[in-house]
């Protein structure tokens, strides 16, 4: 299933990461998954939250630039070779991965892989048709 992911561009300086996290926490918005990538001058905070519209509005109202992307979330067993197996299927389907990150899937006791594909609709269609892949919904990933 596709999820809406929020991406925030942050300056690479002390406090830049904690400020949006505190803002969301102060409004009882839980970060279900996150990834931080950086360069010398800025970073990108990518987050999944249950109510992405509320989080986006709150962040924008507080001066953050927020981009919304669609990502596809897959379930995997937490064992050696699980990622390699998924990537082999992705390669066989001719899907291009722009980036990915992983997080625990609390409700399932497994792991969740968050993928940003260059064509999320096609990726979701191809992966949903493969009986070796489990696409997850928000309530099945996070408590």
């Amino acid at each position: 299933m596709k999820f809406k992911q929020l991406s925030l561009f942050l300056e690479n300086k002390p406090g830049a990461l904690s400020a949006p996290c505190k803002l969301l926490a102060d409004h009882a918005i839980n970060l279900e998954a996150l990834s931080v990538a950086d360069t010398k001058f800025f970073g990108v905070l990518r987050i999944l939250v249950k109510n992405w519209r509320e989080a986006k509005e709150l962040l924008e109202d507080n001066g953050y630039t927020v981009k919304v992307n669609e990502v596809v979330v897959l379930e995997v067993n937490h064992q050696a070779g699980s990622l390699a197996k998924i990537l082999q299927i992705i390669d066989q389907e001719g899907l291009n991965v722009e980036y990915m990150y992983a997080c625990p899937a609390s409700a399932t006791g497994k792991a969740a892989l968050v993928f940003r594909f260059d064509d999320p609709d096609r990726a979701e269609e191809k992966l949903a048709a493969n009986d070796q892949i489990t696409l997850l919904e928000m309530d099945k990933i996070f408590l």
Side-chain angles (χ1 to χ4, degrees):
M1 174 174 200
K2 290 182 295 188
F3 289 75
K4 300 294 187 186
Q5 172 191 263
L6 304 181
S7 297
L8 289 77
F9 296 91
L10 306 173
E11 284 186 78
N12 195 350
K13 67 177 188 178
L17 179 59
S18 63
C21 292
K22 183 176 183 332
L23 177 64
L24 293 168
D26 288 347
H27 288 84
I29 297 173
N30 191 39
L31 301 177
E32 304 294 350
L34 66 89
S35 170
V36 179
D38 72 299
T39 67
K40 184 175 181 180
F41 299 109
F42 71 93
V44 179
L45 171 63
R46 295 181 172 111
I47 60 173
L48 295 180
V49 296
K50 287 185 180 176
N51 189 341
W52 68 271
R53 285 183 181 92
E54 178 185 353
K56 179 180 185 289
E57 183 178 326
L58 174 66
L59 290 162
E60 288 177 339
D61 288 350
N62 283 272
Y64 293 95
T65 300
V66 180
K67 183 175 179 182
V68 178
N69 289 312
E70 289 187 320
V71 294
V72 177
V73 183
L74 310 177
E75 179 183 68
V76 295
N77 292 319
H78 184 62
Q79 63 190 39
S82 294
L83 175 60
K85 178 181 171 184
I86 296 293
L87 292 174
Q88 183 179 21
I89 293 168
I90 287 170
D91 290 347
Q92 289 169 350
E93 294 293 347
L95 302 172
N96 185 44
V97 176
E98 292 183 357
Y99 59 82
M100 62 89 51
Y101 54 96
C103 61
S106 302
T108 65
K110 296 189 178 188
L113 302 176
V114 180
F115 285 92
R116 171 68 177 153
F117 293 100
D118 62 350
D119 186 343
D121 292 328
R122 182 172 169 266
E124 181 182 43
E125 177 186 329
K126 292 281 189 182
L127 296 173
N130 188 309
D131 62 0
Q132 297 179 61
I133 301 283
T134 303
L135 297 178
L136 293 180
E137 298 176 23
M138 183 71 79
D139 62 345
K140 293 187 178 162
I141 299 176
F142 312 114
L143 295 175

